[in-house]
Amino acid sequence: MTTSEKPDLAGERSDYIGGRLIEADAPDEPWSLFDAWLAEAFAARDDGYLSEPTAMSLATAAIDADGHARPSVRTVLLKGSGDGAISWFTNYESRKGVELAANPYAAVSLLWAPLHRQVRMTGKVERVDPEESREYFASRPRGAQIAARSSAQSRVVAADALAERVAAETERWEGRDVAWPEHWGGYRMAPEAVEFWQGRPDRLHDRLIYRRVGGAWSRARLAP
Ligand SMILES: Cc1cc2nc3c(=O)[nH]c(=O)nc-3n(C[C@H](O)[C@H](O)[C@H](O)COP(=O)(O)O)c2cc1C
Ligand code: PXP
């Protein structure tokens, strides 16, 4: 079709033909399966048919004055996984930062579409140790460091004002390391639930959910 034609949204569908995800092959805890799926997503990226294997949707929910939770969602990059938690980095004064300060419960979803797979996690979020944020910030490309210092993420900004701020920060740090700004750092979530979704023909997908109670994981199959 040409770009001037309206896409047929209602008629658009793919068939999912992934392998089975069955209890007999699944571990008792979610992390080894998550690591295996992550490794396969990276392998697919290396083979050129999957992009952004670490991109994940992050949902937060502010409770408004009328008492209703109003969710908001955006993409962030998964930057760490281990010791029962995942992590990502952002601006603590952004919309998501403000919402997490008010309500630390969040949800994430990773979609690896070419593999017909999705992983969802929910749980409580906390800031990582400032030293970890400083170290990660120091590992980023210089342009991204300058951007993090220059951008009051989620606030209204004039294009000219942002460009001026970037120019000023670029000049300020010329010839030396860009200092870590304390308003920029990591969050970690130790999920209380992790769901693996493997797409299957006729929408009869496999879904296994792991739930953590105390230190132990339970596992159950969910209807597709
Ligand atoms: C593929 C992709 C990756 C992104 N990764 C991040 C990230 O790791 N951290 C971040 O703060 N914003 C990231 N963003 C931008 C966010 O989606 C979002 O625009 C920004 O964080 C502001 O969100 P908020 O106003 O809801 O706080 C990414 C966007 C895309 C499309
Ligand atoms: C605003 C913003 N912050 C942070 C990131 C994560 O970037 P990095 O991999 O350089 O930490 C991104 C990636 O798109 C982004 O858009």
Coordinates of all heavy atoms in Angstrom, one line a residue, residues 52 77 79 89-90 136 140-141 144 153 184, ligand 2:
E52 N 16.0 -2.9 19.4 CA 15.8 -2.4 20.7 C 15.3 -3.5 21.7 O 14.2 -3.5 22.3 CB 14.7 -1.3 20.7 CG 15.1 -0.1 19.9 CD 15.9 1.0 20.7 OE1 16.6 0.6 21.6 OE2 15.8 2.1 20.3
L77 N 14.7 2.2 28.6 CA 15.6 1.1 28.3 C 15.9 0.4 29.6 O 16.3 1.0 30.6 CB 16.9 1.6 27.7 CG 16.7 2.3 26.3 CD1 18.1 2.7 25.7 CD2 15.9 1.5 25.3
K79 N 18.3 -1.4 31.9 CA 19.7 -1.3 32.0 C 20.4 -2.3 32.9 O 21.6 -2.3 33.0 CB 20.0 0.2 32.5 CG 19.8 1.2 31.4 CD 20.7 1.1 30.3 CE 20.4 2.0 29.1 NZ 21.3 1.9 28.0
F89 N 17.1 3.9 34.0 CA 17.6 5.3 34.4 C 16.8 6.4 33.8 O 16.3 6.2 32.6 CB 19.1 5.4 34.0 CG 20.0 4.6 34.9 CD1 20.2 3.2 34.5 CD2 20.6 5.1 36.0 CE1 21.0 2.4 35.3 CE2 21.4 4.3 36.8 CZ 21.6 2.9 36.4
T90 N 16.6 7.4 34.5 CA 15.8 8.5 34.0 C 16.0 9.8 34.9 O 16.9 9.8 35.7 CB 14.3 8.1 34.0 OG1 13.6 9.1 33.3 CG2 13.8 8.0 35.4
Y136 N 26.8 4.8 36.3 CA 26.2 4.6 35.0 C 26.2 5.8 34.2 O 26.5 5.8 33.0 CB 24.7 4.1 35.2 CG 24.1 3.9 33.8 CD1 24.6 3.0 32.9 CD2 23.2 4.9 33.4 CE1 24.1 2.9 31.6 CE2 22.7 4.8 32.1 CZ 23.2 3.9 31.2 OH 22.7 3.8 29.9
R140 N 28.0 6.8 30.1 CA 27.1 7.2 28.9 C 27.9 8.1 27.9 O 28.9 8.7 28.3 CB 25.9 8.0 29.4 CG 25.0 7.2 30.3 CD 23.8 8.0 30.7 NE 22.8 8.0 29.7 CZ 22.0 9.0 29.4 NH1 22.1 10.2 30.0 NH2 21.1 8.9 28.5
P141 N 27.5 8.1 26.7 CA 28.2 9.0 25.7 C 28.0 10.4 26.2 O 27.0 10.8 26.8 CB 27.4 8.7 24.4 CG 26.8 7.4 24.6 CD 26.5 7.2 26.0
A144 N 24.8 12.4 25.5 CA 23.7 12.0 26.4 C 23.8 12.6 27.8 O 22.9 13.0 28.5 CB 23.5 10.5 26.5
Q153 N 13.4 17.3 32.0 CA 12.5 16.3 31.4 C 11.0 16.4 31.8 O 10.8 16.5 33.0 CB 13.0 14.9 31.7 CG 12.4 13.8 30.8 CD 12.9 12.4 31.0 OE1 12.9 12.0 32.2 NE2 13.4 11.8 30.0
W184 N 19.3 12.9 38.2 CA 19.2 11.9 37.2 C 19.8 10.6 37.7 O 20.9 10.6 38.2 CB 20.1 12.3 35.9 CG 19.8 11.6 34.7 CD1 18.9 11.9 33.7 CD2 20.4 10.3 34.3 NE1 18.9 10.9 32.7 CE2 19.8 10.0 33.1 CE3 21.3 9.5 34.9 CZ2 20.1 8.8 32.4 CZ3 21.7 8.3 34.2 CH2 21.1 8.0 33.0
Ligands
PXP2 C1 15.5 10.8 27.4 C2 16.3 9.5 27.5 N1 17.0 9.2 28.6 C3 17.7 8.1 28.7 C4 17.8 7.2 27.6 C5 18.7 6.0 27.8 O1 19.8 6.2 27.1 P1 21.3 5.6 27.5 O2 21.3 4.3 26.8 O3 22.2 6.6 26.8 O4 21.4 5.6 28.9 C6 17.1 7.4 26.5 C7 17.1 6.4 25.3 O5 16.3 6.8 24.3 C8 16.3 8.6 26.4 O6 15.6 8.9 25.3

